[in-house]
Amino acid sequence: MFRKTALIYASLGLMLGAVFLPLAAAAQTTGSVIPQRHAKNVYRRRSLDEHVKSFAKALNLDEAQQASVKAILERQQVEARRIQFDQSLSGSDRIGKFRALQQETVLRIRAILNDEQRQKYDPLNHGTQISPSDPSLEDWLKSPRHN
């Protein structure tokens, strides 16, 4: 019986040693052996200044135009948050307001551009127009195909 108990304890000791020995060794080593892993934010929103820089580069904006674009984008950001958190709006109303805000922002930006820059700038439609009669998400969900 003593042999059986000793064998069980020995086996248990070996299993625990196999588990904890590498952990103890890793704890004693320096950080150069085990690389530190930092959680990277895979999705990072670009800042307003980064948006303005990309506009400036793509459209060759001067300093005054860059300041105007930044002010327009700041206004859009404030309005978008207001729409997002407005509890009185239904889903389709919210989508409609976001579309209107997006189109208004495009028109404001186009107003500060010269003719050459306007030809390059078509962020929404790429040559097509969104009509007010386009179906909303609610209309799409209510269609017979999705019920």
Side-chain angles (χ1 to χ4, degrees), residues 3-99:
R3 278 181 86 174
K4 197 172 194 180
T5 307
L7 188 57
I8 291 173
Y9 282 123
S11 298
L12 185 61
L14 286 174
M15 288 190 306
L16 290 175
V19 170
F20 289 112
L21 188 60
L23 294 176
Q28 291 176 355
T29 61
T30 62
S32 62
V33 175
I34 299 174
Q36 294 289 331
R37 293 187 182 198
H38 298 286
K40 287 186 178 182
N41 189 356
V42 176
Y43 177 75
R44 184 184 71 82
R45 285 190 179 174
R46 294 187 332 171
S47 72
L48 208 55
D49 289 330
E50 289 171 327
H51 278 291
V52 172
K53 283 180 186 176
S54 67
F55 270 107
K57 185 177 179 181
L59 300 174
N60 195 24
L61 301 179
D62 61 30
E63 292 294 323
Q65 288 175 317
Q66 289 179 45
S68 296
V69 166
K70 184 173 182 175
I72 291 167
L73 293 178
E74 285 171 342
R75 181 184 179 283
Q76 179 193 29
Q77 199 172 50
V78 169
E79 280 296 307
R81 296 228 177 202
R82 188 185 62 73
I83 294 167
Q84 179 182 4
F85 295 110
D86 187 348
Q87 298 297 319
S88 68
L89 296 174
S90 69
S92 60
D93 289 341
R94 184 171 283 116
I95 291 170
K97 289 200 180 270
F98 275 125
R99 282 183 179 173

Side-chain angles (χ1 to χ4, degrees), residues 88-141:
S88 68
L89 296 174
S90 69
S92 60
D93 289 341
R94 184 171 283 116
I95 291 170
K97 289 200 180 270
F98 275 125
R99 282 183 179 173
L101 176 62
Q102 191 176 29
Q103 289 176 346
E104 178 184 327
T105 301
V106 168
L107 293 175
R108 287 175 182 263
I109 291 173
R110 288 181 68 76
I112 64 166
L113 301 177
N114 63 35
D115 290 336
E116 181 184 327
Q117 292 166 331
R118 271 189 218 108
Q119 289 176 354
K120 294 179 186 177
Y121 180 66
D122 187 19
L124 294 178
N125 305 321
H126 305 291
T128 62
Q129 288 293 325
I130 297 175
S131 71
S133 64
D134 284 347
S136 69
L137 177 60
E138 280 184 11
D139 294 335
W140 180 77
L141 288 172

